Amino acid sequence: MNIPFLDSWRKRHHPDPPDLPPAAAFGRAPDGMAELFAECELLRDRVEEAGVALDDTPRSLQELDQLPPRWRDDPEELPWFGNDAGLYLGTVIVRNVPAARWQMRPGGGPVVQLASGREIQVVEAGLDWAMTGAPQLSQVYAEAAEY
């Protein structure tokens, strides 16, 4: 995977490179960050075991919504699974809703910004979905697609 901001970071010769806030790193390589967000390795591994292929389409969100919530059986894995679900939701929105894009909040995490300017807290939505089943990921996508 080509992530330009990581290459720049590695090339520095400072023994203790200055900490960059996530928003600064994102601003330097938004495509690399989008690729990183799309990985969602834990989510992809767990749902593949259930026979669901994550192909970055809205239909895959519907399939995720239909899965039995076995991930809730592992309290240590649950927040990581929910985080991945949120990043995947954001990936589907960015790849399928015109003019949607990733945005980093200063001091915060990634959000998806729609053409209207509305921001969707996708990681929070993914965590809520993983813990309670609501809101459904496909519902969050449908609302984003309306804007």
Side-chain angles (χ1 to χ4, degrees), residues 57-130:
T57 63
R59 189 185 84 238
S60 65
L61 294 174
Q62 294 171 339
E63 292 176 17
L64 281 173
D65 288 336
Q66 300 304 313
L67 288 176
R70 292 190 179 101
W71 53 84
R72 293 185 194 145
D73 296 340
D74 186 345
E76 290 183 20
E77 191 172 276
L78 179 61
W80 298 105
F81 187 87
N83 186 74
D84 274 10
L87 293 175
Y88 181 70
L89 168 63
T91 296
V92 173
I93 293 170
V94 167
R95 291 185 177 170
N96 293 282
V97 175
R101 61 188 177 98
W102 285 106
Q103 193 75 345
M104 287 296 288
R105 303 298 343 129
V111 296
V112 171
Q113 186 175 49
L114 303 176
S116 67
R118 178 179 174 224
E119 290 182 351
I120 301 174
Q121 305 288 331
V122 291
V123 172
E124 288 178 18
L127 288 167
D128 289 344
W129 171 81

Side-chain angles (χ1 to χ4, degrees), residues 9 12 14-20:
W9 181 80
R12 291 189 191 140
H14 302 286
D16 294 322
D19 290 334
L20 288 177

